[in-house]
């Protein structure tokens, strides 16, 4: 069946709003860079939310280790395990037909070296059915990326701020500020491209530097807090839709206020139950 996204119907091959009867692949992502097309990516952690984004035409869904803070109630991404990523990645794959699903390799699942990375990436591809994996690190992760790509696993790299290193940073500081740090970011970007990554996330880097990286690479960049010139833009869905409790980072734009709406719905239900208005006649069987 041809899947036509309702949000913005376009003919042809565009990643967002295009028509296609099959899943997006990394070749489609490469073609979008050649066309100079910008594209959106969101995180997803369950089948139902993923199906909403799939039907909205979001071409790439990331089962991010941000599930630690946004779905599993941890303080950071650090405690997230392979079992958790595998379980939720499988759910996201089941909830989607068109989106390319990218499974995140969590902290400790690839740092030992390429063989460990391949073992865990293979698990996400075979058990969960993801079309690609993501891992953090530039030059330091190049060997892992190279073996995964040689073995047939597409890899999205992630440089700039890498949240799995929160304990080393002592927070979430903007990266790539100053000449030396900017040069390191450019080297990291080149290293992941040379290792075979099909795209690279740039997190929390100055907009001008992200623009320079984007111009210098033939693979697409996906920005988060990296200005408007990246090829793609990614947001954590709970931030984007106003589900997050409390402050969201400055780079987030909220497109809905789901937390407020869901709380209102829960309170209305509770009041109906307490007041005897629910269930009414039309909700009852005789
Ligand atoms: O885990 C995640 O959600 C991410 C994105 C913020 C890129 O890594």
């Amino acid at each position: 069946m041809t899947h036509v996204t309702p949000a913005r119907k376009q003919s042809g091959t565009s990643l967002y709003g295009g028509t296609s009867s099959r899943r997006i692949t990394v070749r489609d992502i490469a073609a979008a860079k050649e066309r100079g097309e910008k594209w959106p990516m969101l995180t997803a952690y369950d089948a139902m939310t993923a199906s909403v984004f799939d039907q909205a035409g979001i071409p790439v869904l990331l089962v991010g280790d941000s599930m630690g803070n946004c779905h599993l109630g941890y303080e950071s991404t650090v405690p997230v395990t392979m079992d958790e990523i595998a379980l939720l990645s499988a759910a996201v794959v089941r909830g989607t037909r068109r989106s390319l699903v990218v499974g995140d390799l969590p902290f400790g699942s690839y740092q030992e070296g390429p063989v460990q990375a391949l073992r865990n990436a293979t698990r996400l591809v075979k058990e969960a059915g993801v079309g690609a994996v993501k891992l953090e690190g530039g030059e330091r992760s190049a060997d892992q990326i190279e073996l995964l790509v040689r073995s047939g696993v597409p890899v999205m790299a992630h440089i700039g701020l890498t949240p799995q290193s929160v304990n080393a940073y002592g927070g979430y500081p903007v990266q790539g500020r100053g000449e030396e740090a900017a040069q390191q970011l450019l080297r990291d970007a080149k290293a992941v491209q040379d290792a075979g990554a099909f795209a690279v996330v740039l997190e929390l880097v100055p907009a001008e530097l992200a623009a320079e990286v984007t111009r210098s690479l033939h693979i697409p960049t996906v920005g988060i807090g990296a200005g408007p010139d990246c090829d793609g833009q990614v947001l954590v869905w709970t931030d984007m839709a106003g589900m997050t409790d409390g402050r969201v980072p400055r780079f987030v734009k909220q497109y809905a206020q789901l937390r407020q709406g869901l709380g209102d719905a829960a309170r209305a239900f509770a009041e109906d139950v307490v007041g005897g208005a629910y269930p009414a006649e039309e909700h009852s069987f005789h």
Side-chain angles (χ1 to χ4, degrees):
M1 189 180 126
T2 300
H3 182 66
V4 181
T5 58
R8 185 166 151 255
K9 192 173 156 189
Q10 289 178 351
S11 61
T13 50
S14 61
L15 284 184
Y16 170 65
T19 57
S20 101
S21 54
R22 57 161 181 81
R23 263 192 208 275
I24 303 282
T25 70
V26 294
R27 286 181 61 179
D28 299 313
I29 306 286
K33 173 97 183 186
E34 276 174 27
R35 292 194 297 271
E37 182 187 326
K38 295 196 175 203
W39 47 275
M41 168 166 132
L42 284 172
T43 64
Y45 316 112
D46 67 274
M48 200 181 288
T49 313
S51 77
V52 172
F53 298 153
D54 186 63
Q55 287 167 26
I58 303 297
V60 186
L61 294 181
L62 170 67
V63 190
D65 62 358
S66 51
M67 69 174 64
N69 335 40
C70 304
H71 193 72
L72 298 173
Y74 298 137
E75 290 271 303
S76 73
T77 64
V78 172
V80 174
T81 66
M82 271 303 299
D83 284 348
E84 289 162 341
I85 294 272
L87 185 76
L88 303 194
S89 295
V92 168
V93 170
R94 284 193 293 272
T96 53
R97 287 185 300 150
R98 181 177 183 267
S99 308
L100 170 66
V101 178
V102 180
D104 221 356
L105 287 174
F107 182 58
S109 70
Y110 59 94
Q111 283 86 351
E112 281 173 28
V115 173
Q116 186 204 22
L118 182 58
R119 187 169 56 247
N120 286 315
T122 307
R123 183 175 166 200
L124 290 187
V125 173
K126 290 178 71 138
E127 257 179 50
V130 302
V133 301
K134 179 172 84 58
L135 54 76
E136 294 185 2
E139 286 182 323
R140 69 180 154 101
S141 296
D143 290 346
Q144 282 89 329
I145 295 171
E146 205 176 323
L147 180 61
L148 296 193
V149 174
R150 262 199 292 126
S151 306
V153 181
V155 178
M156 178 178 279
H158 182 157
I159 61 174
L161 183 101
T162 49
Q164 292 174 8
S165 303
V166 58
N167 292 324
Y169 294 130
Y172 297 96
V174 175
Q175 300 294 298
R177 281 192 167 141
E179 187 52 28
E180 204 177 306
Q183 288 306 322
Q184 181 60 53
L185 192 87
L186 285 159
R187 280 196 298 276
D188 283 335
K190 183 80 174 39
V192 299
Q193 172 173 274
D194 290 349
F198 75 90
V200 56
V201 171
L202 303 181
E203 180 161 354
L204 266 192
V205 299
E208 300 74 16
L209 180 58
E212 189 180 345
V213 172
T214 302
R215 277 193 305 272
S216 71
L217 295 185
H218 60 75
I219 60 171
T221 57
V222 191
I224 175 161
D229 294 317
C230 296
D231 299 293
Q233 294 288 337
V234 56
L235 283 177
V236 167
W237 90 259
T238 48
D239 291 344
M240 179 280 299
M243 260 305 271
T244 304
D245 193 13
R247 245 188 95 248
V248 292
R250 189 182 128 198
F251 58 77
V252 170
K253 179 171 175 183
Q254 293 194 307
Y255 290 85
Q257 289 302 328
L258 291 197
R259 191 174 183 87
Q260 180 69 44
L262 204 51
D264 288 347
R267 278 185 288 275
F269 166 65
E271 275 161 30
D272 273 4
V273 170
V274 170
Y278 178 83
E281 181 58 24
E282 66 268 30
H283 308 118
S284 305
F285 301 94
H286 296 290

